[in-house]
């Protein structure tokens, strides 16, 4: 995995776009242009969907998915639609390419009125995007479900909007891939970057070199028929599939079956640890290139997308430096450094791919003076390397700042823009070379059971950054819409909400998991770097602890933080909401004791439970003091701050998020005590010790 900095310095989200109001639908990504109209279109059993100008198998399948999901989310059956009754008319001009292509027309127009809705698009792909928008608009009231009357004109800002899924470090079965493709389509992502080989596994069947999967995958790989199924499934949803087979480094799993192509003698075994490893392909032997050419000949025929990712990152040069054959080869060809050796290898690779009609794509490290200009550079190092590639005339894609495994808040992902930083200085032609961005789901600390809850719903924030106009940057609006869309995403088959619930059921054994549920809503999981430092993880370590049931951001804590701001201004309702939750945290410690005693896997959560209970107790105390309305002494404030600091220390690889709303209340008391604010209540202050 390409490890970026653990703390990314990004631009804070501005408030250029207006915040969402209650009349507007909770759409994500936000459209390029939206105008609210009067009235609404009811969703009834007679609602029909008709394609009136052009239709093909892909559009027919999309209509079936639309009505199935609409029925699932609303409970309205669509069995015998009324002929000519209110419904949706789809009018598109043509199918578009059989296999999705970079830069195809994804624009659409959606007009919804009480008499019916009309979706207009140049291609079926545009219609697919409009159908997803309409699905997000279905909302209930006392009379039933309806679509609000609206006019939408929409098109993407960037042509490349992707999700990379690493299936090598932890195996992800076909079902995981398919449900995430459905999720991608729901938020208009259009590139599935499939990281299919690494030191921990080679995950695709090769008929020409069968030992790649038979010895290099632990039996976990996709057959070629399954690959074709994924490609067809993605194409039906307007998603391109870009495969990645990392080379010349990250190739340990290759050498379990074919050690003769390594730069040092074997034997080799599948790597179980995480990190950068020494095995590399031998660039000095013609046999290596013949092997790679044979493999790529098979794989490029299997994957129809024009772009083929060769990785090219994090090559440890030790084997090359210690190999007499490689050093002699380097001297013969005037390759003075390991970087020059890799450039030579990449040029050979690029020629092989070009011969098969493919465009080479790779991580930052492929950018070299002699790199052909049709290559695409994927930046994991930042906007500076992205801008450097563009200035040199290369197309590029941003992944820096979009690493989902770091578990950064959605607001931080949302604030990161491909055209920020050094890219802002590019001229128009250079900026046009930045194709878009890709979120990255590296899988060291996720399994097939937990991966959805790490990807979703935060990737929707990245999807909006890449689709919506640049000025759409209001983080509060984004959170409101993301939390609404998160619930509807479960209807696509994703398990980001139900999966953690299953984990808590398992941890509770035969007991009621409610105490664990209370606890997990008050914490957040730590990301890649803290987990790597906490213990020695390998691919064989089960990911089934409390941290694996926790999410990157707690919706409850966000709600409590908002309530804390309002409570500080005297809002009684918010104070009661805070009080109920603080009291629940405090009282939850005792019920957890029984669960901990019954399950050895829960022994580590005792300190977590203690910290959350203490945060609850402090919250109640601070809330009482706030309601009293009198200033607090510096000593009282300092003691409570110190107690919160102790509570906030991470435990068992989780963050004690519960301290945040309490700290906001304490900050309000401190501000008032220093004369910077006032309370609407002035009686009966509670004295502190």
């Amino acid at each position: 995995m390409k490890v970026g900095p653990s703390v990314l310095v990004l631009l804070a989200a501005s408030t250029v776009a207006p915040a969402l109001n209650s009349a507007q639908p909770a759409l994500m990504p936000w459209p390029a242009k939206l105008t609210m109209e009067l009235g609404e279109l009811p969703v009834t059993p007679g609602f029909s969907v008709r394609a009136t100008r052009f239709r093909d198998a892909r559009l027919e399948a999309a209509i079936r998915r639309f009505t199935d999901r609409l029925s699932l989310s609303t409970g309205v059956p669509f069995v015998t639609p009324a002929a000519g009754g209110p419904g949706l008319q789809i009018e598109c001009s043509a199918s578009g390419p059989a296999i999705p292509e970079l830069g195809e027309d994804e624009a659409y127009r959606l007009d919804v009125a009480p008499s019916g809705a009309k979706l207009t698009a140049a291609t079926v792909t545009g219609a697919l995007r409009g159908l997803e928008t309409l699905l997000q608009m279905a909302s209930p009231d006392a009379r039933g479900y309806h679509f609000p009357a609206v006019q939408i004109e929409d098109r993407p800002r960037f042509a490349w909007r992707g999700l990379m899924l690493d299936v090598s470090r932890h195996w992800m079965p076909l079902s995981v891939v398919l449900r995430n493709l459905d999720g991608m389509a729901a938020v208009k992502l259009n590139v599935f970057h499939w990281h299919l080989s690494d030191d921990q596994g080679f995950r695709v069947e090769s008929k020409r070199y069968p030992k790649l999967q038979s010895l290099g995958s632990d039996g976990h790989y996709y057959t070629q028929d399954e690959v074709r199924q994924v490609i067809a499934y993605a194409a039906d949803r307007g998603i391109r599939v870009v495969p990645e087979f990392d080379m010349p480094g990250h190739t340990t799993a290759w050498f379990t079956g074919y050690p003769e192509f390594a730069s040092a003698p074997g034997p080799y075994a599948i790597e179980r640890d995480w990190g950068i490893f020494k095995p590399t392909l031998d660039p000095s032997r013609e046999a290596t290139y013949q092997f790679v050419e044979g493999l790529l000949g098979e794989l490029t025929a299997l994957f129809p997308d024009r772009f083929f990712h060769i990785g090219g990152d994090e090559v440890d040069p030790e084997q090359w430096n210690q190999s007499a054959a490689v050093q002699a080869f380097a001297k013969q060809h005037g390759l003075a450094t390991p970087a020059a050796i890799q450039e030579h290898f990449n040029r050979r690779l690029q020629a092989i791919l070009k011969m098969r009609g493919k465009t080479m794509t790779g991580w930052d490290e492929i950018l070299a003076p002699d790199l052909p200009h049709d290559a695409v550079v994927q930046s994991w190092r930042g906007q500076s390397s992205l801008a450097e590639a563009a200035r040199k005339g290369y197309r590029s894609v941003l992944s820096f700042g979009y690493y989902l495994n770091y578990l950064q808040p959605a607001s931080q992902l949302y604030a990161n823009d491909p055209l920020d930083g050094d890219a802002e200085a590019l001229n128009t032609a250079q900026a046009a070379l930045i194709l878009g961005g890709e979120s990255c789901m590296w899988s060291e600390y996720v399994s097939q059971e937990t991966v959805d809850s790490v990807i979703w719903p935060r990737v929707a924030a990245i999807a909006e950054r890449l689709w919506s106009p640049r000025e759409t940057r209001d983080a509060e609006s984004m959170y409101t819409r993301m939390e609404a869309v998160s619930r509807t995403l479960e209807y696509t088959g994703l398990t980001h909400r139900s999966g953690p619930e299953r984990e808590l059921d398992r941890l509770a054994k035969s007991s009621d998991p409610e105490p664990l549920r209370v606890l997990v809503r008050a914490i957040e999981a730590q990301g890649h770097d803290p987990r790597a430092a906490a213990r020695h993880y390998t691919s064989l370590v089960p990911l089934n602890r409390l941290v694996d049931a926790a999410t990157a951001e707690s919706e409850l804590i966000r709600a409590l933080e908002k309530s804390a701001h309002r409570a500080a201004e005297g809002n009684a309702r918010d104070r009661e909401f805070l009080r109920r939750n603080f009291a629940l945290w405090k009282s939850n410690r005792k019920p957890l004791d029984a669960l901990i005693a019954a399950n050895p896997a829960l022994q580590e959560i005792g300190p977590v439970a203690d910290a959350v209970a203490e945060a609850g107790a402090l919250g109640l105390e601070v809330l009482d003091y706030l309601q009293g309305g009198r200033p607090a002494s510096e000593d009282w404030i300092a003691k409570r701050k110190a107690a919160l600091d102790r509570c906030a220390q991470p435990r068992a690889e989780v963050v004690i998020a519960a301290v945040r709303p309490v700290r906001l209340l304490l900050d309000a008391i401190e501000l008032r005590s220093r004369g910077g604010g006032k309370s609407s209540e002035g009686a009966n202050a509670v004295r502190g010790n």
Side-chain angles (χ1 to χ4, degrees):
M1 184 198 82
K2 287 132 289 293
V3 177
S6 58
V7 178
L8 304 178
V9 180
L10 302 172
L11 294 177
S14 70
T15 55
V16 176
L20 188 73
N21 65 52
S22 59
Q24 292 176 321
L27 299 178
M28 203 164 193
W30 190 251
K33 183 179 179 182
L34 181 149
T35 304
M36 298 299 298
E37 304 288 344
L38 293 175
E40 58 194 34
L41 172 62
V43 179
T44 67
F47 188 88
S48 63
V49 183
R50 306 178 297 276
T52 59
R53 183 173 178 183
F54 172 88
R55 64 196 306 148
D56 61 6
R58 189 161 70 124
L59 183 55
E60 293 285 356
I63 291 171
R64 286 193 298 274
R65 291 195 303 273
F66 173 85
T67 54
D68 287 348
R69 280 171 52 200
L70 185 60
S71 181
L72 187 63
S73 63
T74 63
V76 177
F78 305 109
V79 181
T80 55
L88 170 65
Q89 175 187 335
I90 302 175
E91 187 177 285
C92 61
S93 304
S95 175
I99 297 295
E101 295 177 357
L102 175 67
E104 68 175 292
D105 192 345
E106 299 178 82
Y108 67 91
R109 179 184 173 99
L110 184 61
D111 294 277
V112 181
S115 58
K118 184 176 181 180
L119 171 58
T120 309
T123 68
V124 170
T125 301
L128 297 178
R129 307 303 182 231
L131 284 170
E132 294 294 347
T133 297
L134 188 58
L135 270 172
Q136 290 183 2
M137 289 169 58
S139 58
D141 60 20
R143 295 163 295 163
Y145 276 85
H146 61 268
F147 298 115
V150 68
Q151 288 186 358
I152 291 174
E153 296 178 35
D154 203 10
R155 59 178 42 82
R157 180 175 167 222
F158 290 105
W160 191 304
R161 308 178 308 279
L163 168 65
M164 188 225 73
L165 180 62
D166 170 15
V167 300
S168 297
R169 289 171 176 82
H170 274 109
W171 165 245
M172 301 292 161
L174 188 65
S175 59
V176 175
V177 173
L178 297 181
R179 72 190 186 220
N180 275 279
L181 286 169
D182 281 316
M184 289 176 64
V187 294
K188 302 180 177 62
L189 292 172
N190 67 349
V191 179
F192 177 57
H193 175 168
W194 207 357
H195 186 82
L196 287 161
S197 76
D198 218 296
D199 298 290
Q200 294 78 14
F202 190 97
R203 302 300 187 189
V204 171
E205 174 190 24
S206 170
K207 297 182 185 295
R208 184 161 188 171
Y209 300 105
K211 287 189 286 186
L212 283 169
Q213 73 268 8
S214 65
L215 297 180
S217 74
D218 290 318
H220 295 308
Y221 62 91
Y222 308 99
T223 67
Q224 293 196 2
D225 282 344
E226 288 174 326
V227 169
R228 294 186 187 97
Q229 180 183 346
V230 168
I231 291 167
Y233 197 90
D236 267 358
R237 290 150 180 78
I239 297 172
R240 298 167 42 220
V241 177
V242 175
E244 180 184 353
F245 293 89
D246 212 341
M247 60 184 105
H250 287 292
T251 43
T252 306
W254 301 37
F255 304 142
T256 58
Y258 298 94
E260 63 269 31
F261 302 119
S263 299
Y268 291 92
I270 293 172
E271 187 56 67
R272 307 297 179 189
D273 283 312
W274 314 132
I276 302 172
F277 302 99
K278 303 184 189 308
T280 52
L281 286 163
D282 185 345
S284 69
R285 300 179 58 224
E286 195 60 31
T288 301
Y289 298 103
Q290 292 171 1
F291 165 66
V292 171
E293 185 170 4
L295 178 62
L296 290 182
E298 181 180 23
L299 295 175
T300 54
L302 181 61
F303 290 94
D305 197 82
R306 204 174 103 215
F307 296 85
F308 197 97
H309 206 297
I310 57 90
D313 61 301
E314 298 178 330
V315 176
D316 185 329
E318 182 173 315
Q319 284 192 350
W320 291 351
N321 292 337
Q322 294 181 355
S323 167
V326 172
Q327 289 303 305
F329 172 84
K331 185 175 181 180
Q332 177 187 351
H333 289 83
L335 308 174
T337 64
I341 296 173
Q342 185 174 351
E343 290 167 23
H344 176 91
F345 177 86
N346 286 346
R347 284 195 296 273
R348 292 290 302 267
L349 208 54
Q350 193 273 342
I352 293 169
L353 290 170
K354 187 173 184 178
M355 206 163 43
R356 285 157 179 79
K358 300 296 184 182
T359 297
M360 188 173 82
T361 304
W363 299 102
D364 282 330
E365 289 89 335
I366 71 167
L367 186 59
D370 294 329
L371 181 69
H373 274 83
D374 66 342
V376 173
V377 178
Q378 185 166 359
S379 172
W380 64 276
R381 292 174 173 170
Q383 277 88 346
S384 57
S385 62
L386 191 79
E388 179 189 1
R391 280 192 294 268
K392 292 179 177 178
Y394 295 97
R395 291 174 295 177
S396 55
V397 174
L398 180 69
S399 282
F400 174 88
Y402 295 145
Y403 273 31
L404 298 168
N405 55 314
Y406 277 92
L407 301 192
Q408 293 136 332
S411 56
Q412 191 167 334
L413 301 172
Y414 190 63
N416 185 39
D417 192 285
L419 293 179
D420 281 345
D422 288 1
E424 289 185 291
L426 298 174
N427 62 38
T428 302
Q430 292 167 340
L433 293 172
I434 296 178
L435 301 177
E438 271 188 12
S439 51
C440 292
M441 184 64 258
W442 300 104
S443 66
E444 288 96 331
Y445 304 105
V446 294
S447 65
Q448 58 186 279
E449 291 84 13
T450 64
V451 65
D452 287 14
S453 60
V454 176
I455 297 174
W456 302 95
R458 292 178 305 137
V459 78
I462 300 171
E464 177 159 295
R465 177 55 50 238
L466 300 174
W467 174 282
S468 302
R470 187 172 186 176
E471 60 269 20
T472 305
R473 297 175 75 91
D474 186 281
E476 281 304 312
S477 169
M478 178 274 293
Y479 271 114
T480 300
R481 291 178 286 111
M482 184 183 74
E483 289 172 6
V485 169
S486 176
R487 286 157 173 78
T488 64
L489 282 168
E490 283 272 337
Y491 297 120
T492 69
L494 290 169
T495 63
H496 61 294
R497 300 180 74 86
S498 57
E501 288 290 324
R502 286 195 299 274
E503 287 294 300
L504 295 179
D505 278 339
R506 184 190 54 74
L507 285 168
K509 301 296 185 186
S510 58
S511 302
D512 181 0
E514 182 59 23
L516 287 174
R517 196 174 291 123
V518 170
L519 183 66
V520 85
R521 289 173 181 164
I523 62 175
E524 293 168 348
Q526 289 193 299
H528 177 275
D529 285 359
R531 293 199 72 171
R535 63 180 64 199
H536 180 210
Y537 280 95
T538 74
S539 60
L540 303 178
V541 173
L543 299 174
N544 57 3
R545 296 159 52 222
L546 184 69
V547 60
D548 302 301
T551 56
E553 288 187 273
S554 165
E555 282 190 17
L556 173 63
I557 296 301
R558 272 195 50 76
L560 290 170
E561 288 178 296
K562 291 168 77 172
S563 284
H565 286 293
R566 293 190 293 263
E569 296 299 317
N571 188 294
R573 229 171 173 187
D574 286 292
R575 289 182 177 182
E576 181 54 32
F577 177 55
L578 289 161
R579 186 175 298 281
R580 286 198 309 270
N581 280 279
F582 293 161
L584 184 59
W585 294 344
K586 182 180 177 182
S587 64
N588 194 49
R589 184 63 184 90
K590 189 173 181 180
L592 283 169
D593 282 338
L595 290 175
I596 293 170
N599 186 356
L602 292 176
Q603 295 298 314
E604 66 174 350
I605 77 167
V608 178
D610 289 338
V612 171
E614 186 176 358
L618 285 165
L620 292 171
E621 184 182 6
V622 170
L623 197 55
D624 284 341
Y625 208 104
L626 182 71
Q627 287 185 238
R630 287 178 58 188
S633 69
E634 290 185 9
D635 181 62
W636 187 92
I637 292 170
K639 285 179 178 178
R640 274 70 191 169
K641 281 187 173 182
L644 282 176
D645 289 343
R646 290 192 298 272
C647 285
Q649 294 304 307
R651 299 156 171 85
E653 297 163 54
V654 301
V655 174
I656 313 302
V659 303
R660 295 207 297 265
V662 182
R663 200 182 295 278
L664 287 172
L665 295 174
L666 188 58
D667 288 345
I669 291 174
E670 182 174 28
L671 181 64
R672 185 183 65 196
S673 300
R674 291 178 176 175
K678 61 181 181 180
S679 170
S680 61
E681 301 171 347
N684 300 322
V686 177
R687 292 187 180 274
N689 296 320

